[in-house]
Amino acid sequence: MPTIGRRTDIEGPDAYVWFLADSSHPRYTLVKNVIHGQNYVSAYDLADYPVTADDVLHTGRKAFDVALAAVNCGKFNIGMVTLGIVQHCFYETVDQAANKILFGHPVTEFGQVRQILSDNYIRITAMKLYHERAIDYMRESSPQDRRFVMFNSIGKMKVTREGERVFRELSDVISAKGFEKDTYFAVARGTIDSMPRLEGTAHVNMALTLKFMPSFLYNAADLPPAPVRRDAGDDEALFRQPGAAGLGKVRFADWRPAFADYRHLPNVALFLEQAERFAQFPVQAPATDAQLADLDYQLAVGELFTLLPYGQLILEQAKIAGTPDDLVDAIFELFVRDFSAYSLGVFTKASSTVAQQEWALGSLRKPITDTARADRVFAEVLGHAGAYRMNP
C-alpha cells in the first residue's frame, strides 16, 4: 500500500517519506471500510511498523510531489464517472417523461420539462466533449508540457459540478420515480454528491485552476495541438511528474484559434465577445489587495475564467468528432447564460469595486435563441426515449 508519512526526527519538507506498507505484516492493522457500499476505501493503522530502506520509494520534497502527482493523475477519472452516472440518469428520465401522461398530455410536452431535458442533454454533451479532449492532453503530457494539470483540475471540479447540476434538474422531471428502488436514479443519488468532493472540495481544484490564469490569458506559447491519443502506448511520462511548485510557469497555446472555425455560430461569437472582455478584466477592474487574499472573491472570478478553457477543449473536440453545429451553438447558448450569471456573482460580491461592478454589468449578454434549432435538438433528445432501461 503506497503511503505518505513524515519522519519525527527531521523538520520541514525533508521529513516526507513515500513508502510501501505490506498489508500482511503483523504491525499493519486494517481498521475498516470508511464508506457505505461495495467500494472499499480502507482506513489502516501502522503501529511500530518497521520501514526499511527497501520499502522507501521517495523521500523529502520528491515524496510530497509524487503523492500529489498521484492525486492529479489518479483522480482524473471522477469527471468521467460523473458523466456516466448522469448519462444513465438522463436516459431513465427522458424515457419516463416520454411515457408519462399528465392532464391528458405526455410530460415532454410541458415547456419547463422540454427546457430541462434539452438543457441537460446539452450539458452532458459538453461534459463528454471536454473530457474526450482532456484525455489527449493528459496522455501527451511531458515534464515540459504540463497543460494537462489545469485541464485535469477543471475536469475534477467543473465537470463534476455540472454533473451535480444535471442530476438536480433531472430530479425535477423524474420526480418521485427517481426514489424507487428499481431505478438507476435511486442508485445514483447516493453517489453523485461525492464526485466533486472526493479530493476535499471543488474549491481546491478551482484554486489550483486560478494559478494558471495569467499564463493562459497573457503568455501564450507556440505549442503544437495535442494529437488524438487512443493508442495502446505506454504513458510512462505520467510517472515522471516534476515538482508541485512552479505551476504558474506552465505555458499554454493561444486559446482563441479553437473558436475561429465556429465564429459563424451566433452564440459562439457572443461567448467569444464575453471571453475577450474577461481577458481585460484584470486590467480594467483589478483586484484589491484584500480581494487577492479573499478566496470567496477569487472563486467567483474563477467561475468566469474556467469557462474559457472549458469552451476551448469542447470546440477542439467538436472539430475532431464532427459534432453538429446545432449542438455546438446550443452548448454556447448555455455558456453565454452561465457567463452572465457568474458576472452577476462578481457584481453582487460585498467587496466588488465600482470598476468591477461596471465591468460585470457590461459583460451581461442575452443568448441568441433559435426556435428551429431548439426543435431539432429536442427531437434528438426524445430519440433517446427507450434507449436504456435497468434490467429487472
Side-chain angles (χ1 to χ4, degrees):
M1 177 73 68
T3 305
I4 185 73
R6 286 180 62 89
R7 294 174 55 177
T8 58
D9 60 331
I10 299 178
E11 297 294 329
D14 290 340
Y16 288 111
V17 182
W18 182 246
F19 65 96
L20 290 176
D22 182 1
S23 61
S24 64
H25 194 282
R27 293 293 183 178
Y28 180 109
T29 303
L30 179 62
V31 179
K32 63 179 178 179
N33 182 5
V34 298
I35 65 171
H36 291 293
Q38 64 181 4
N39 296 329
Y40 204 99
V41 181
S42 62
Y44 59 95
D45 288 339
L46 302 178
D48 297 322
Y49 182 92
V51 179
T52 69
D54 290 339
D55 299 325
V56 175
L57 301 173
H58 299 286
T59 60
R61 174 62 68 177
K62 180 66 174 177
F64 179 83
D65 290 340
V66 168
L68 185 61
V71 173
N72 284 339
C73 299
K75 290 293 182 70
F76 175 70
N77 67 323
I78 63 176
M80 290 179 284
V81 170
T82 305
L83 171 60
I85 290 172
V86 296
Q87 186 161 312
H88 279 311
C89 290
F90 167 80
Y91 287 144
E92 197 165 64
T93 302
V94 71
D95 187 48
Q96 190 260 359
N99 290 285
K100 181 178 180 180
I101 305 299
L102 200 59
F103 305 119
H105 298 275
V107 169
T108 49
E109 291 184 6
F110 297 164
Q112 79 277 19
V113 170
R114 171 179 169 140
Q115 188 71 51
I116 290 171
L117 291 175
S118 294
D119 282 0
N120 289 289
Y121 177 70
I122 293 161
R123 288 195 187 278
I124 290 171
T125 302
M127 294 163 65
K128 190 180 302 183
L129 290 171
Y130 178 84
H131 250 300
E132 283 287 318
R133 188 58 175 147
I135 290 171
D136 299 331
Y137 282 95
M138 184 175 184
R139 297 196 62 193
E140 192 64 15
S141 66
S142 69
Q144 294 74 41
D145 182 356
R146 303 186 69 206
R147 288 176 284 179
F148 88 98
V149 178
M150 183 182 76
F151 296 140
N152 278 14
S153 68
I154 292 173
K156 291 181 287 185
M157 171 264 299
K158 177 70 174 176
V159 174
T160 57
R161 290 199 301 163
E162 284 286 278
E164 278 190 300
R165 180 176 186 168
V166 169
F167 182 87
R168 185 174 64 251
E169 294 187 8
L170 291 178
S171 296
D172 289 335
V173 176
I174 199 169
S175 193
K177 179 71 174 177
F179 291 88
E180 295 181 10
K181 66 180 182 179
D182 61 344
T183 63
Y184 180 81
F185 222 97
V187 176
R189 190 177 303 280
T191 306
I192 193 70
D193 287 346
S194 67
M195 292 296 107
R197 300 169 180 88
L198 283 172
E199 202 176 324
T201 70
H203 299 159
V204 171
N205 284 295
M206 178 68 85
L208 176 61
T209 300
L210 283 168
K211 291 181 181 293
F212 299 97
M213 188 172 80
S215 180
F216 183 88
L217 290 178
Y218 308 118
N219 196 20
D222 185 16
L223 295 172
V228 175
R229 292 293 309 274
R230 296 298 181 274
D231 56 279
D234 183 2
D235 299 328
E236 56 84 26
L238 294 175
F239 296 94
R240 294 187 291 108
Q241 294 298 308
L247 293 179
K249 297 179 181 178
V250 174
R251 304 288 297 279
F252 297 85
D254 189 358
W255 53 274
R256 293 171 178 85
F259 289 81
D261 292 336
Y262 292 94
R263 292 193 67 167
H264 64 285
L265 299 179
N267 285 295
V268 174
L270 200 56
F271 177 81
L272 184 56
E273 185 180 316
Q274 291 177 308
E276 293 287 7
R277 279 190 59 83
F278 180 77
Q280 296 302 313
F281 180 50
V283 178
Q284 295 177 355
T288 65
D289 290 342
Q291 287 172 336
L292 291 174
D294 179 2
L295 184 57
D296 182 59
Y297 175 81
Q298 292 298 317
L299 291 173
V301 174
E303 295 284 13
L304 290 163
F305 168 63
T306 299
L307 280 173
L308 275 65
Y310 193 56
Q312 175 196 340
L313 264 62
I314 286 168
L315 289 178
E316 288 181 6
Q317 183 61 26
K319 185 176 181 180
I320 292 168
T323 304
D325 281 358
D326 275 354
L327 280 176
V328 175
D329 195 48
I331 288 170
F332 280 85
E333 179 182 336
L334 292 183
F335 288 179
V336 170
R337 188 196 307 168
D338 290 348
F339 193 97
S340 296
Y342 295 146
S343 294
L344 283 177
V346 171
F347 177 86
T348 57
K349 286 295 175 188
S351 65
S352 62
T353 65
V354 172
Q356 290 161 357
Q357 293 170 35
E358 291 176 349
W359 177 90
L361 292 179
S363 299
L364 302 183
R365 297 290 185 275
K366 182 179 176 63
I368 298 170
T369 57
D370 181 333
T371 302
R373 185 205 68 210
D375 288 344
R376 292 191 295 270
V377 170
F378 190 60
E380 187 171 330
V381 168
L382 289 181
H384 290 284
Y388 166 84
R389 288 192 178 96
M390 286 278 284
N391 286 328

